[in-house]
Amino acid sequence: MEQQSKTRTEGASADRVFAFSDGVFAIIITIMVLELKKPAGDDFHAVLSLWPTWLSYATSYLFISIVWLNHHYLLRNLSAVSLRLLWANFGHLFSVSLIPFLTDWVAESNLAPVPVSLYAFVFLMVNVSYLILVWESQDDLVTKEHKTMASWMIRLRSTVTIAVFLVSTVVSLWAPIFGFAMVCGCLILYTRPEIKASDQHLDRLGKIQKLLKHPTDKR
């Protein structure tokens, strides 16, 4: 009876994490929509003149969608919620909440160097906080495959994109268009949140681990 009560409590905690996180994502998107400004005129030239707004909004909307997909995929198998995981989730949501402010600034400045650089830096913060969330949810993942190859590949992908976002943060100070393009290019790597570990990959990983534990003496 006590075990059943504990399971229900853990499940409810996980559900509350999902509900709170989904609410934050919804509010962030709503704020971005409210920041959109209508064209000054009534012709296509007035619409096209707002291209920085449409570009920054579309990129931010895509990014938030990808963040939500990866957040849902990562935490969907949670059975319990630790205090460290809660704080990691709050940190991740905090970094995502900065996107509307930078989106509006990038648009109004017509992709000026400093706004684009800080825009890339926020993307870097989102990725770093996501990597921390991966570490904190690691022990709660249910499959052995996910704990080995797939989890390692998720961390590798996050580390690589963190490096790219860091470079784009610096590059944007001199070439904001190129830095912005680097940010957009990184989004492609996250359009599919799942990273499946095939039997071939798992077998190869097992051989590498076995070799490291019992190296072959070729002398």
Side-chain angles (χ1 to χ4, degrees):
M1 191 72 177
E2 182 180 351
Q3 182 64 31
Q4 291 178 351
S5 177
K6 181 180 179 181
T7 302
R8 285 197 297 269
T9 302
E10 291 173 344
S13 298
D15 289 342
R16 291 187 68 183
V17 171
F18 269 112
F20 178 81
S21 301
D22 287 348
V24 172
F25 282 118
I27 291 173
I28 290 172
I29 291 178
T30 302
I31 292 174
M32 286 205 312
V33 172
L34 294 176
E35 290 295 331
L36 290 177
K37 297 177 176 58
K38 64 180 181 181
D42 56 1
D43 53 9
F44 285 110
H45 176 73
V47 176
L48 294 176
S49 65
L50 293 177
W51 67 266
T53 298
W54 308 124
L55 179 61
S56 60
Y57 174 79
T59 302
S60 296
Y61 187 91
L62 176 62
F63 185 68
I64 292 175
S65 300
I66 290 174
V67 171
W68 182 89
L69 284 173
N70 283 271
H71 182 275
H72 177 75
Y73 176 76
L74 181 64
L75 302 183
R76 64 179 181 176
N77 291 321
L78 277 182
S79 60
V81 178
S82 67
L83 182 61
R84 292 198 309 177
L85 189 141
L86 285 174
W87 280 114
N89 190 58
F90 279 128
H92 186 54
L93 295 176
F94 169 76
S95 59
V96 178
S97 70
L98 297 175
I99 293 178
F101 165 70
L102 272 303
T103 300
D104 188 50
W105 194 18
V106 167
E108 289 189 352
S109 65
N110 290 331
L111 276 70
V114 173
V116 174
S117 177
L118 292 179
Y119 187 68
F121 182 73
V122 167
F123 278 45
L124 171 65
M125 290 176 57
V126 172
N127 239 24
V128 170
S129 60
Y130 177 74
L131 186 56
I132 295 173
L133 197 59
V134 170
W135 285 335
E136 291 302 326
S137 62
Q138 179 75 24
D139 294 335
D140 201 60
L141 298 178
V142 295
T143 62
K144 180 180 179 181
E145 292 82 3
H146 209 301
K147 284 186 177 182
T148 54
M149 177 61 74
S151 181
W152 180 82
M153 292 175 68
I154 288 175
R155 292 198 301 269
L156 177 62
R157 179 180 63 179
S158 296
T159 303
V160 170
T161 51
I162 284 172
V164 175
F165 285 138
L166 181 59
V167 172
S168 64
T169 300
V170 178
V171 169
S172 297
L173 294 174
W174 288 274
I177 299 297
F178 184 69
F180 191 87
M182 291 177 65
V183 168
C184 295
C186 277
L187 299 183
I188 300 175
L189 298 176
Y190 285 93
T191 53
R192 292 182 61 88
E194 73 279 4
I195 299 181
K196 297 181 179 179
S198 65
D199 293 336
Q200 182 181 2
H201 287 152
L202 291 173
D203 181 63
R204 187 179 304 169
L205 180 63
K207 290 180 179 179
I208 294 175
Q209 292 176 336
K210 185 177 179 180
L211 182 62
L212 292 175
K213 292 181 180 180
H214 306 285
T216 302
D217 189 358
K218 296 184 179 180
R219 291 179 299 175

